[in-house]
Amino acid sequence: MAFPNHILGVILAGGQSRRFGGGDKGFADLDGRPVLSHVIERFRPQIGRLILNANGDLSRFASFGLEVVADREIPGQGPLSGILTALEWAKRHAPDCTAVATVSTDVPFLALNLIQRLEAERGDGVAIAVSAGRRHPTIAIWPLTSREAVADALQRGALSVDALAAELNAVAVPFPMGEIDGVTIDPFFNVNRPEDLVAARALLAKS
């Protein structure tokens, strides 16, 4: 599949990782590499241009080779802040882009056909990924026209990405379970907690 150059890819790494015990869970070691490296490896080939959204000392991400963009207008309000930042950045710096594709920093088994499937289903609106009956609203494509709705939700303190996606009549795109070397894996398994990291390591050890 040709790179969809009208879509900007963004990895959302601006959270505080409270359930993980703080710090950057994207830096946690998984099979000898940071979790974030796995995400980049699986996401980058699907997209024409890729950036990272994060806060704090941005230089800590220098080794990953991505442009890092911090929250500007309403910082520190969870993934919705990152989505707004990405939409604003695309408008200013990527004039050919009409949409932003977001993924979280903790999905090391990300579906390799994510963009292809979401783009095929979304029309000109929002599309979010679903696996095993669970919605993943931070793994989605957001048209630049959704910027006003995202900004309004943040101003109102309505920080649920899933609720906003529902308001925008997002298309929910189901994905089947994935497989790595014969091991069945949820394509959006996320490393939220230390025990999730243990489980991810065990999955890779079986592959």
Side-chain angles (χ1 to χ4, degrees):
M1 178 183 175
F3 288 151
N5 290 315
H6 64 289
I7 302 176
L8 173 71
V10 184
I11 299 174
L12 301 173
Q16 299 181 20
S17 304
R18 292 187 180 93
R19 284 180 288 177
F20 197 74
D24 292 295
K25 55 187 173 182
F27 290 150
D29 180 80
L30 177 60
D31 198 32
R33 293 188 293 143
V35 169
L36 179 55
S37 290
H38 292 265
V39 178
I40 293 171
E41 179 180 76
R42 298 179 74 87
F43 192 32
R44 193 199 295 270
Q46 303 186 50
I47 211 76
R49 187 171 185 177
L50 181 61
I51 66 171
L52 183 73
N53 165 247
N55 295 304
D57 180 5
L58 304 186
S59 66
R60 70 191 189 278
F61 294 99
S63 64
F64 294 98
L66 296 178
E67 182 159 0
V68 188
V69 181
D71 294 341
R72 288 186 55 183
E73 293 193 20
I74 309 176
Q77 296 299 307
L80 211 57
S81 289
I83 293 168
L84 178 61
T85 296
L87 292 167
E88 289 285 357
W89 192 93
K91 182 179 178 181
R92 292 192 306 272
H93 301 286
D96 294 335
C97 284
T98 60
V100 165
T102 58
V103 303
S104 50
T105 187
D106 59 358
V107 283
F109 309 119
L110 185 71
L112 295 175
N113 62 348
L114 174 70
I115 299 304
Q116 183 180 24
R117 292 282 311 280
L118 292 180
E119 184 67 355
E121 298 290 336
R122 76 180 185 90
D124 59 359
V126 180
I128 68 171
V130 177
S131 64
R134 180 185 174 196
R135 293 162 61 92
H136 305 280
T138 58
I139 301 175
I141 294 181
W142 303 81
L144 263 59
T145 54
S146 64
R147 186 265 171 211
E148 185 175 341
V150 175
D152 178 68
L154 281 163
Q155 291 286 357
R156 291 186 283 113
L159 304 182
S160 169
V161 181
D162 198 23
L164 178 60
E167 285 182 27
L168 295 175
N169 298 312
V171 176
V173 181
F175 284 76
M177 292 296 100
E179 183 179 297
I180 298 179
D181 293 335
V183 179
T184 299
I185 297 176
D186 187 321
F188 309 114
F189 177 100
N190 56 334
V191 182
N192 265 329
R193 302 162 299 173
E195 50 264 43
D196 296 327
L197 181 61
V198 172
R201 287 170 175 164
L203 285 169
L204 285 179
K206 293 178 182 177
S207 63

